[in-house]
Amino acid sequence: MKVFAFHLMPYAHLDMSYTEKYRAAWVVLPNTYFDPKKGHELYNRYLDELELVAELGYDGISVNEHHQNAYGLMPSPVVMAAALSRRTKNAKIAILGNAFCLREHPLTLAEEHAMIDCITGGRLISGMVRGIGAEYYSMGVNPAVSHARFQEAHDLVVEAWTKPGPFAFEGKFYHFEYVNVWPRPYQQPHPPIWAPSTGSTETIEWAAHPSRKYVYLQAYSPITSVVRYLNYYREAAQRLFGYTASSEQIGWSAPVYVAETDAKAREEAKPHIEILMNRLLRLPFEMIFPPGYLSAKSLKNMRSHKRSVSGQEHTVDSLIEQGIILCGSPDTVRKKFMDAHRQLGFQNLLCLLQFATLPRDLTEKNIRLFAKEVLPALQGLTDKEYAGMETRAVG
């Protein structure tokens, strides 16, 4: 198994009384809440944490894109990936992801990804995402065309990376007389592409298509939903496309906190994980899934399977019980991951080791203890431990 550390780079100094005036920490929260001097400290601290991860033998480090919010301070994950590209030597750098389709000119991101791939000698993983609904408010893009726009942006970028230029590209949303990306990516035909998703049926089936076979990644879900969605990827590959998906195409992302004992882990993680789930991730439904963003089928699934994440106040105990966060002693966390792997066979794991207001000392402790006590056992897992799929459709 490949184990990555994922970082959101939240604004950890947020005044939580914002909830008295504003309905979300996204889009509508005034940027006067952001102190640039504190931002300077946080950005450099967070880069230090990812560099530590790389030094300790994790397989990769991961950043992502969000706009106009306190949940994640990376409107450009390319900037963070570039900062990490020269300070790390062996770890993969996964941008999970960049919303190419939110741009009027996706080729700029294609160029920037190719640059980082060349700088790192082929350590880049490119995550292609639509972006959650809030990003469409922030960027002024119509969510009703997000699927078509996403797929066309993907096709444009992949052609730009693989097809000799210059050539013309004429689509419904993008029109270029000259597509001629310099530099070309280091990895041929292009960097690995992953497709993180909240669970849209269309995205799962698109990622599983035999012309792509992209890694599908599920996050922020109860373990029952993780089972359902990851198994649906395998089922879609078999039923719709006639092939058996490999475990290398399957990924899971979850917040993780490790301490000396189960009780201490719960105590230390409690205030910070509850702020993440009850404040920073709390958005009105229309901000997450604006009209037209999901098909009727996917919307029904989301309301059913994400209700336990977005529709209630969480405690650290309820989050642990549902399997949304893995928290406890090294033995407890290791066993939970190994049990989940036996059931699902995922070969890509992204651990959110810093979340919300978790301070520097506890974050570093978490990173180091996980690396020493949990990481080696997980990196040794293969399909030999996978029990096989129980077919169960999403729907």
Side-chain angles (χ1 to χ4, degrees):
M1 180 189 296
K2 303 297 184 185
V3 182
F4 293 66
F6 183 54
H7 214 307
L8 292 168
M9 300 193 179
Y11 187 59
H13 299 293
L14 182 62
D15 177 359
M16 292 301 160
S17 67
Y18 81 89
T19 56
E20 298 171 7
K21 295 182 179 180
Y22 304 101
R23 65 186 189 276
W26 300 64
V27 184
V28 296
L29 184 68
N31 61 10
T32 51
Y33 277 79
F34 179 83
D35 182 336
K37 291 183 179 179
K38 292 179 178 178
H40 164 74
E41 181 272 325
L42 282 174
Y43 277 131
N44 285 279
R45 172 198 149 186
Y46 292 155
L47 288 169
D48 288 345
E49 289 168 359
L50 287 173
E51 289 168 13
L52 174 62
V53 164
E55 292 171 10
L56 292 176
Y58 291 73
D59 296 288
I61 50 183
S62 180
V63 293
N64 80 333
E65 171 185 342
H66 287 297
H67 297 273
Q68 298 183 6
N69 75 96
Y71 162 84
L73 298 177
M74 286 184 283
S76 175
V78 168
V79 172
M80 291 303 160
L84 293 161
S85 65
R86 290 271 293 168
R87 298 278 296 176
T88 59
K89 300 302 179 185
N90 298 309
K92 298 287 186 181
I93 299 176
I95 300 177
L96 299 178
N98 244 176
F100 289 77
C101 61
L102 289 177
R103 273 71 177 183
E104 290 300 317
H105 300 286
L107 289 182
T108 59
L109 286 180
E111 293 169 332
E112 291 163 357
H113 281 231
M115 288 174 67
I116 293 172
D117 201 39
C118 284
I119 291 169
T120 60
R123 288 190 285 126
L124 179 71
I125 295 171
S126 179
M128 293 195 179
V129 296
R130 285 194 293 151
I132 70 166
E135 323 293 2
Y136 287 79
Y137 292 99
S138 298
M139 301 293 278
V141 177
N142 182 359
V145 296
S146 65
H147 267 298
R149 189 177 171 104
F150 166 74
Q151 291 171 10
E152 187 173 303
H154 162 272
D155 293 347
L156 168 61
V157 170
V158 169
E159 284 191 34
W161 282 340
T162 58
K163 185 176 176 180
F167 61 88
F169 184 93
E170 281 295 332
K172 181 177 179 180
F173 305 100
Y174 301 111
H175 311 276
F176 291 92
E177 185 175 356
Y178 295 99
V179 178
N180 193 26
V181 166
W182 281 72
R184 297 169 59 221
Y186 185 92
Q187 297 175 88
Q188 294 296 311
H190 55 72
I193 294 174
W194 289 18
S197 170
T198 54
S200 160
T201 302
E202 292 82 8
T203 298
I204 294 173
E205 294 174 357
W206 178 86
H209 190 277
S211 68
R212 288 177 284 272
K213 296 184 179 180
Y214 294 158
V215 172
Y216 168 71
L217 190 72
Q218 175 65 208
Y220 289 142
S221 295
I223 188 62
T224 53
S225 293
V226 174
V227 170
R228 191 175 185 92
Y229 284 116
L230 296 190
N231 276 348
Y232 183 65
Y233 182 102
R234 292 183 186 270
E235 184 194 347
Q238 187 67 58
R239 178 172 53 84
L240 299 178
F241 306 122
Y243 77 94
T244 300
S246 74
S247 293
E248 283 72 22
Q249 292 168 244
I250 305 293
W252 181 25
S253 176
V256 179
Y257 191 78
V258 184
E260 293 80 357
T261 66
D262 288 352
K264 191 169 187 180
R266 287 172 185 252
E267 177 187 357
E268 291 178 350
K270 176 180 172 62
H272 313 291
I273 195 64
E274 290 178 4
I275 285 174
L276 173 67
M277 303 302 296
N278 297 327
R279 299 295 178 265
L280 299 184
L281 265 176
R282 185 60 56 86
L283 289 84
F285 190 83
E286 67 274 10
M287 268 193 195
I288 307 174
F289 304 122
Y293 180 79
L294 292 175
S295 68
K297 181 179 180 181
S298 289
L299 180 61
K300 179 182 177 182
N301 288 333
M302 292 297 178
R303 285 190 177 276
S304 172
H305 297 290
K306 298 292 185 178
R307 186 180 295 118
S308 60
V309 177
S310 60
Q312 65 186 50
E313 284 288 312
H314 298 280
T315 66
V316 66
D317 292 331
S318 69
L319 292 166
I320 292 170
E321 182 180 351
Q322 293 178 77
I324 295 173
I325 176 177
L326 288 91
C327 177
S329 69
D331 287 344
T332 294
V333 171
R334 187 189 315 110
K335 182 179 185 302
K336 286 184 177 181
F337 273 127
M338 294 177 76
D339 287 346
H341 176 268
R342 188 174 300 108
Q343 184 177 16
L344 291 165
F346 53 90
Q347 283 298 105
N348 300 285
L349 174 63
L350 272 72
C351 298
L352 185 65
L353 299 171
Q354 192 286 334
F355 36 82
T357 50
L358 191 71
R360 179 192 290 266
D361 60 334
L362 293 183
T363 300
E364 182 171 340
K365 171 186 168 183
N366 192 26
I367 291 170
R368 290 186 181 276
L369 192 54
F370 185 96
K372 180 180 179 182
E373 302 290 344
V374 182
L375 180 64
L378 300 186
Q379 288 177 322
L381 294 176
T382 68
D383 260 359
K384 291 180 180 178
E385 293 80 27
Y386 174 40
M389 182 183 66
E390 291 183 13
T391 301
R392 186 178 300 173
V394 173

